[in-house]
Amino acid sequence: MKGSRALAHPLSKDGGVRKIGSMPNIKIFSGSSHQDLSQKIADRLGLELGKVVTKKFSNQETCVEIGESVRGEDGFFDIPVDNLYAEPAVLKWIRENIQEWKNGIIVSPDAGGAKRVTSIADRLNVDFALIHKERKKANEVDRMVLVGDVKDRVAILVDDMADTCGTICHAADKLLSAGATRVYAILTHGIFSGPAISRINNACFDAVVVTNTIPQEDKMKHCSKIQVIDISMILAEAIRRTHNGESVSYLFSHVPL
């Protein structure tokens, strides 16, 4: 991939998992929400996950017990926090999985996501559109107004997260009725609560694509339209670069190999 030579340490294969060079003086601990993603990040860094026990108090607060010494090691908040973006991974997925992407149009399901879709559209050199939601009262959408021409084009809905999926499913119907040939949804975080899976199954999506920031295995068993982009390599590379005092801006435009 273009730009991959910028990595400071060569990558090697070991048992089918690409690993980054030695990482002394660093420990990684996992919470309870996504053990699999934590393990993938540790595997890529060539590290073992630290020993940690998480428990729930009766009031549902979480108790975390670290089971080994961390004195003199890194994973503490003594540095600024960097925002990491899924956009490079999204661009890669579109180019590799949507055959007609050059005849596509990137669509925001609401006006608030306009900046996000214009950035992706610019990098793909395709058009963009947005859907304006008109509400009679709070939390109740009266109608959707499409701004842009999707006729005879592949529509790719892009959003940061989807919970019950009412908005993106209504948006998909709107795009199809406006002449789109196919509709995809690409979401950074797929929460998929309540009626979400049923709505996606009944909607006109070719695929609903999410990153693995949230486990999706159970949801995928009930919905064949859900596909997952693995972003563990992005998180692992961010950890390596931060640990070594390197810039993470490379990750804003590239997906590490």
Side-chain angles (χ1 to χ4, degrees):
M1 185 177 65
K2 183 178 180 182
S4 62
R5 292 178 185 173
L7 295 178
H9 291 264
L11 301 179
S12 62
K13 281 189 176 181
D14 183 3
V17 177
R18 286 184 177 267
K19 292 186 179 180
I20 296 171
S22 177
M23 297 279 292
N25 303 319
I26 184 170
K27 298 200 179 208
I28 296 180
F29 297 91
S30 173
S32 58
S33 65
H34 202 344
Q35 182 79 17
D36 181 62
L37 178 58
S38 302
Q39 188 63 60
K40 285 181 177 177
I41 293 170
D43 288 344
R44 183 173 175 87
L45 292 169
L47 300 171
E48 297 290 333
L49 283 175
K51 296 176 183 176
V52 62
V53 176
T54 58
K55 305 173 184 175
K56 288 282 188 182
F57 292 114
S58 58
N59 65 358
Q60 295 307 300
E61 285 187 306
T62 301
C63 169
V64 179
E65 296 179 358
I66 304 298
E68 57 188 271
S69 174
V70 295
R71 186 173 297 279
E73 310 286 355
D74 276 354
F76 294 99
F77 276 92
D78 58 356
I79 57 174
V81 175
D82 289 298
N83 257 326
L84 296 177
Y85 299 94
E87 182 176 301
V90 167
L91 293 167
K92 185 173 184 287
W93 191 93
I94 291 173
R95 291 186 178 113
E96 293 179 353
N97 294 276
I98 301 179
Q99 188 174 1
E100 320 94 307
W101 68 266
K102 291 183 179 178
N103 186 42
I105 184 166
I106 311 299
V107 185
S108 174
D110 55 51
K115 183 177 180 180
R116 184 184 307 114
V117 300
T118 52
S119 175
I120 292 174
D122 286 346
R123 294 184 64 181
L124 290 172
N125 195 28
V126 299
D127 292 334
F128 69 91
L130 62 85
I131 293 173
H132 173 61
K133 294 182 288 191
E134 295 184 348
R135 302 179 186 271
K136 281 187 174 179
K137 57 184 179 180
N139 298 321
E140 186 176 315
V141 177
D142 180 36
R143 70 186 186 117
M144 290 182 161
V145 178
L146 174 64
V147 181
D149 184 10
V150 301
K151 184 173 174 56
D152 298 325
R153 306 177 81 172
V154 176
I156 305 170
L157 276 163
V158 176
D159 207 353
D160 57 347
M161 68 174 62
D163 187 1
T164 58
C165 293
T167 295
I168 65 163
C169 288
H170 285 143
D173 290 340
K174 182 70 178 179
L175 293 169
L176 203 65
S177 66
T181 57
R182 296 175 127 187
V183 181
Y184 294 83
I186 303 182
L187 315 162
T188 304
H189 309 291
I191 300 171
F192 301 147
S193 67
I197 296 302
S198 175
R199 285 173 171 173
I200 293 172
N201 280 328
N202 292 324
C204 60
F205 294 112
D206 274 51
V208 174
V209 184
V210 296
T211 71
N212 61 337
T213 56
I214 296 172
Q216 298 296 344
E217 288 77 11
D218 288 342
K219 304 286 178 27
M220 293 171 72
K221 291 176 183 177
H222 298 95
C223 182
S224 61
K225 295 179 182 180
I226 296 176
Q227 299 186 33
V228 175
I229 299 173
D230 181 16
I231 51 122
S232 60
M233 71 291 290
I234 296 175
L235 301 177
E237 181 63 7
I239 291 171
R240 188 195 70 77
R241 285 174 175 262
T242 300
H243 177 68
N244 290 334
E246 301 172 28
S247 170
V248 299
S249 59
Y250 172 87
L251 299 175
F252 300 163
S253 56
H254 297 81
V255 178
L257 293 176

